[in-house]
């Protein structure tokens, strides 16, 4: 093999890797949530925005949902902290944790929590049935709370809890 062909193949490999790296950096830039608001502000770019609109999470994982794009950065920003509570048929109030359902944290947060937040009734009922079968009890009510933290200059303080959604399970069973 001549020295010239070896150099040519090396340069080709470097150029190809550079293009691949730039593609992935561009994909990350394109999917960044804080940039999604950029497109609609410019009328001339409305058509390209519709063509290039990023798909929702987690379609392009791992290029979306990075904490550096999702969480509070500035003074006064809030950090959402969700908790799910259930009222059982004996009027007991319990906090539902991922361990109670035998699932991991991410399935819990993107499954049950998002189902409650987005009112996906069929998914909610699947998680309710899973809980009821594991604990041999009936849930009559589910509530999604947000316990936000507020970012201040030198500290983080707890804000007042907010009821996000409430679901009487008996009504969901009827439908």
């Amino acid at each position: 093999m001549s020295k010239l062909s070896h150099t040519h193949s090396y340069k080709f490999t470097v150029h190809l890797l550079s293009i691949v790296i730039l593609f992935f950096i561009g994909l990350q830039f394109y999917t960044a949530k804080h940039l999604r608001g950029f497109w609609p502000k410019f009328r001339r770019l409305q058509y390209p925005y519709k063509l290039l609109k990023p798909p929702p999470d987690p379609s392009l994982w791992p290029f979306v949902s990075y904490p550096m794009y999702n969480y509070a950065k500035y003074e006064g920003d809030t950090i959402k902290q969700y908790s799910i509570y259930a009222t059982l048929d004996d009027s007991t109030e319990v906090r539902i944790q991922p361990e109670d359902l035998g699932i991991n944290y991410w399935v819990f947060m993107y499954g049950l929590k998002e189902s409650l937040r987005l009112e996906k009734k069929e998914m909610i009922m699947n998680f309710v049935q899973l809980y009821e079968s594991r604990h041999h009890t009936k849930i009559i009510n589910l509530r999604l709370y947000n316990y936000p933290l507020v970012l201040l200059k030198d500290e983080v303080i707890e804000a007042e809890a907010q009821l996000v959604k409430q679901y009487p399970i008996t009504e969901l069973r009827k439908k």
Side-chain angles (χ1 to χ4, degrees), residues 99-163:
E99 302 81 40
D100 298 332
L101 299 168
I103 57 178
N104 70 34
Y105 174 80
W106 299 109
V107 172
F108 183 77
M109 292 306 285
Y110 288 107
L112 180 56
K113 190 262 307 173
E114 284 298 301
S115 297
L116 288 167
R117 198 176 66 77
L118 300 173
E119 300 181 14
K120 295 182 178 180
K121 295 175 175 131
E122 188 175 315
M123 286 291 290
I124 294 168
M125 285 309 298
N126 290 339
F127 285 104
V128 166
Q129 290 168 354
L130 180 60
Y131 183 89
E132 290 175 345
S133 68
R134 288 178 64 92
H135 297 278
H136 308 292
T137 186
K138 292 282 183 200
I139 294 177
I140 58 172
N141 192 21
L142 272 178
R143 293 176 315 286
L144 176 64
Y145 282 97
N146 178 20
Y147 293 92
L149 300 174
V150 179
L151 187 63
L152 298 178
K153 186 175 184 175
D154 296 325
E155 63 182 331
V156 176
I157 61 168
E158 292 180 15
E160 187 175 324
Q162 305 160 348
L163 176 63

Side-chain angles (χ1 to χ4, degrees), residues 14-29:
V14 168
H15 289 301
L16 183 62
L17 283 174
S18 298
I19 290 169
V20 169
I21 290 169
L22 285 174
F23 171 77
F24 282 110
I25 290 172
L27 188 59
Q28 179 61 52
F29 184 76

